[in-house]
């Protein structure tokens, strides 16, 4: 698992909004899920997505490895249906 840290210098607002703006490829709902899964911490503590970040806050993000996520994918239902037809 990769960990990334950054300090809030001028941004302020909701934690989920600031993170989703910092990481353009993450939606706000993905950020919210990561916060609730304790993968995003502020100053070493777990906060709610609506937490108001302030200048000087240290944000720590634990990015999950992509491989375990790929291994847990289930096959599409039509694949089983196609096998049944053969």
């Amino acid at each position: 698992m990769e960990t990334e840290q950054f300090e809030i210098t001028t941004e302020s607002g909701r934690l989920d909004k600031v993170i989703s703006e910092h990481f353009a490829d993450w939606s706000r709902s993905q950020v919210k899920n990561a916060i609730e899964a304790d993968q995003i911490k502020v100053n070493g503590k777990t906060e709610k997505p609506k937490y108001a970040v302030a200048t000087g806050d240290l944000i720590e993000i634990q990015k999950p490895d992509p491989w375990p996520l790929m291994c847990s994918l289930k096959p599409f239902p039509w694949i089983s249906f196609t096998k049944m037809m053969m």
Side-chain angles (χ1 to χ4, degrees):
M1 191 172 296
E2 179 185 345
T3 302
E4 185 173 330
Q5 291 184 342
F6 64 94
E7 185 176 339
I8 300 297
T9 54
T10 58
E11 301 175 69
S12 62
R14 290 174 54 111
L15 176 61
D16 56 350
K17 185 176 180 196
V18 170
I19 299 290
S20 62
E21 288 173 357
H22 188 76
F23 295 97
D25 56 334
W26 286 20
S27 69
R28 246 168 110 174
S29 61
Q30 288 174 309
V31 171
K32 180 182 176 211
N33 291 336
I35 292 169
E36 291 172 351
D38 293 332
Q39 294 175 330
I40 298 176
K41 297 187 180 209
V42 180
N43 301 321
K45 299 187 302 187
T46 302
E47 297 290 352
K48 296 189 182 223
K50 65 181 179 180
Y51 172 80
V53 297
T55 303
D57 280 345
L58 182 64
I59 309 294
E60 181 180 318
I61 301 172
Q62 295 178 350
K63 295 182 180 178
D65 295 328
W67 178 249
L69 296 175
M70 292 175 62
C71 292
S72 67
L73 294 177
K74 295 181 181 178
F76 292 105
W78 59 267
I79 293 174
S80 299
F81 181 74
T82 304
K83 288 181 181 177
M84 288 174 40
M85 298 287 290
M86 294 182 171

